[in-house]
Amino acid sequence: RSLTVVGDVDQSIYSWRGANFRIILNFEKDFGATTVKLLDNYRSTGNILEVANAVIENNSERLPKELRTVKGQGEKVYCFEAEDDREEAGFIIDKLLHTAKTKGRLPGDCCVLYR
């Protein structure tokens, strides 16, 4: 009876591959398990987590949690809604070039992670 399962219903991005977040959602009840919530976030700043918490709290099927950071508040979050993929790409390029110039970096020091 020694089993460890790791999952997060708020990060269920693999439904297109058949993943079902309800397995984690009901795991404690279905298997008589104990849940240990890992709430400390070591990558994101407080402002990012505030936005994330505000978005995920609207999910109707979830386990309540409030993520917290160990990195401080960080920069304010900026939201941009593009009309299409070209406007989105142009916005990202402009932001990268501006950041590189104002922070004394080369454009090659930046990267874009896209899903």
Side-chain angles (χ1 to χ4, degrees), residues 8-11 49-63 65-67:
D8 185 346
V9 297
D10 295 320
Q11 295 187 36
L49 292 182
E50 279 182 36
V51 171
N53 285 325
V55 170
I56 64 176
E57 76 181 8
N58 293 309
N59 294 347
S60 59
E61 296 181 272
R62 66 182 301 265
L63 301 170
K65 70 173 179 274
E66 185 82 15
L67 300 174

Side-chain angles (χ1 to χ4, degrees), residues 20-73:
N20 184 345
F21 71 92
R22 286 177 186 85
I23 293 170
I24 295 298
L25 189 63
N26 299 321
F27 195 86
E28 186 172 16
K29 180 182 65 152
D30 291 345
F31 295 95
T34 300
T35 299
V36 176
K37 295 180 182 180
L38 305 175
L39 302 175
D40 290 334
N41 185 298
Y42 295 90
R43 293 184 301 183
S44 300
T45 61
N47 285 326
I48 291 171
L49 292 182
E50 279 182 36
V51 171
N53 285 325
V55 170
I56 64 176
E57 76 181 8
N58 293 309
N59 294 347
S60 59
E61 296 181 272
R62 66 182 301 265
L63 301 170
K65 70 173 179 274
E66 185 82 15
L67 300 174
R68 55 190 181 231
T69 186
V70 298
K71 294 190 76 148
Q73 272 312 104

Side-chain angles (χ1 to χ4, degrees), residues 58-108:
N58 293 309
N59 294 347
S60 59
E61 296 181 272
R62 66 182 301 265
L63 301 170
K65 70 173 179 274
E66 185 82 15
L67 300 174
R68 55 190 181 231
T69 186
V70 298
K71 294 190 76 148
Q73 272 312 104
E75 296 182 32
K76 288 189 174 192
V77 174
Y78 180 85
C79 182
F80 172 77
E81 185 176 352
E83 292 291 324
D84 56 29
D85 57 343
R86 290 186 175 274
E87 185 181 12
E88 181 180 24
F91 173 80
I92 296 299
I93 290 168
D94 289 345
K95 289 298 266 182
L96 285 175
L97 292 174
H98 175 75
T99 299
K101 184 177 179 181
T102 59
K103 304 278 184 182
R105 306 216 186 257
L106 298 171

